Amino acid sequence: MNGNRAMAMAGVAGVSVLVLAGCGSDSDAEDQPFAGKSADQIAAEAVKATRQAESMHVSGTVRQTAGEALEVDLSVDQRKNCEGTVKTAGTTAEVRHVDATLYLRGDEG
């Protein structure tokens, strides 16, 4: 997956979370940035904004099939450089990708 597509997908996912968090809110319509817009319009705006972004930060937890949690905290830029941590099963790995080189430093676990 190329960098632009990955960033666009993450942006759409982020906007989706924001939209879902805003559902059922009691605040005024003018406080809701997506009021009156369709899901397709919101997704298109998210993709456009993500493509214009020079970098992004992703942080979250994913539950794997076997039940193990995988925590990620990564920053990525348009040049496919990234830096952050990945944690699972009580271990932590620091990740850094610069130019064409991937650096990975794990803890003792």
Side-chain angles (χ1 to χ4, degrees), residues 25-54:
S25 172
D26 291 334
S27 62
D28 294 335
E30 61 191 42
D31 292 340
Q32 298 178 9
F34 306 115
K37 295 182 182 177
S38 71
D40 288 340
Q41 289 170 320
I42 295 167
E45 288 179 22
V47 169
K48 181 180 176 184
T50 302
R51 286 187 175 148
Q52 293 173 349
E54 293 183 22

Side-chain angles (χ1 to χ4, degrees), residues 13 20 23 30-31 33 61 69 73 87 105:
L20 291 175
C23 289
E30 61 191 42
D31 292 340
T61 303
D73 187 2
K87 299 178 183 180
R105 177 172 57 185

Side-chain angles (χ1 to χ4, degrees), residues 1 10-11 35-36 47 49 51 54 57 64 77-79 88 96:
M1 179 179 318
V47 169
R51 286 187 175 148
E54 293 183 22
H57 184 106
Q64 298 178 33
D77 68 18
Q78 286 281 8
R79 293 178 307 278
T88 189
R96 180 176 284 181

Side-chain angles (χ1 to χ4, degrees), residues 74-77 80-84 95-98 102:
L74 299 169
S75 295
V76 183
D77 68 18
K80 299 181 185 177
N81 296 317
C82 91
E83 182 174 354
V95 179
R96 180 176 284 181
H97 185 266
V98 179
L102 174 67

